[in-house]
Amino acid sequence: MIDLGLSKLMLIGVVALVVIGPERLPKVARTAGALFGRAQRYINDVKAEVSREMELDELRNMRTQFEDAARSAQNTVQKQLHEQEASLNDAWASATGTSSGEIAGGGTDAATGYSDSYLAEPVVTSSIRASTKRRNWRVRRAATPIWFKQASTTRTRVQSGAARVARHTPAKLRRPVKFF
């Protein structure tokens, strides 16, 4: 970087005064200052953009690591769940006196006449699905009772500012409107 001391700046100023002249020197100095400021802002913007990109890259790496860890944890949990499910199904089969092939096949019980297809379903279900239904905001808004809207000072009717002033102003203070 250029090392500019006070003596060098004085020398540059004297040379600029002699070459440019005292009339145009302030205008040239303002222009040079504006260009220098613009260059500094541009350099700072580039630095900020580079640091932002580096942070985004780090965040992407952290996200992929987190997703990998979550995926491995999910696989471990599913593996353990399937093992427990298999052991529960084996215990159920041994307790009811049926083989695992009969559990999977299903059929009807001769004594009760009921279908034992419920045995075809595993004792523990490994897939839990939560249905998330997106509701329309108009339905949710319309579901609010009017008495609650009035109690919570929610506007049920919209009025302009002039209409609100006219509504709250006594009749004797209102001026008649004359067009001509």
Side-chain angles (χ1 to χ4, degrees):
M1 181 127 183
I2 300 172
D3 184 30
L4 293 177
L6 186 62
S7 61
K8 291 181 182 178
L9 286 175
M10 293 282 288
L11 180 65
I12 292 171
V14 169
V15 170
L17 182 62
V18 170
V19 172
I20 296 172
E23 299 88 29
R24 295 189 315 178
L25 185 62
K27 185 176 180 181
V28 170
R30 275 193 299 269
T31 305
L35 291 175
F36 183 72
R38 193 179 300 164
Q40 260 188 332
R41 282 191 298 274
Y42 177 73
I43 289 171
N44 288 337
D45 288 344
V46 169
K47 285 181 184 178
E49 185 70 28
V50 168
S51 66
R52 205 175 310 129
E53 286 296 324
M54 289 173 43
E55 289 174 1
L56 284 174
D57 190 37
E58 291 174 8
L59 286 175
R60 285 186 194 115
N61 290 338
M62 288 174 48
R63 187 182 87 192
T64 56
Q65 290 174 354
F66 179 74
E67 287 174 350
D68 292 341
R71 202 173 298 120
S72 67
Q74 181 183 12
N75 290 339
T76 305
V77 167
Q78 284 181 350
K79 180 181 171 187
Q80 292 291 329
L81 189 61
H82 287 302
E83 290 174 2
Q84 293 298 323
E85 183 179 356
S87 67
L88 283 174
N89 284 335
D90 291 341
W92 180 262
S94 65
T96 58
T98 58
S99 67
S100 60
E102 292 175 4
I103 289 176
T108 57
D109 189 7
T112 60
Y114 292 115
S115 170
D116 62 349
S117 63
Y118 65 91
L119 293 175
E121 294 291 323
V123 175
V124 178
T125 59
S126 61
S127 62
I128 300 172
R129 294 184 183 138
S131 64
T132 56
K133 294 182 180 178
R134 186 175 177 188
R135 294 184 179 171
N136 192 346
W137 67 273
R138 288 184 187 92
V139 173
R140 284 183 288 175
R141 188 172 180 194
T144 307
I146 293 174
W147 63 267
F148 181 78
K149 288 180 183 179
Q150 290 172 347
S152 64
T153 64
T154 303
R155 287 188 191 169
T156 54
R157 292 183 222 124
V158 179
Q159 287 184 336
S160 68
R164 282 194 300 269
V165 169
R167 191 173 118 213
H168 293 293
T169 305
K172 62 182 178 182
L173 295 179
R174 291 188 204 146
R175 286 189 255 151
V177 179
K178 295 181 182 178
F179 293 106
F180 295 105

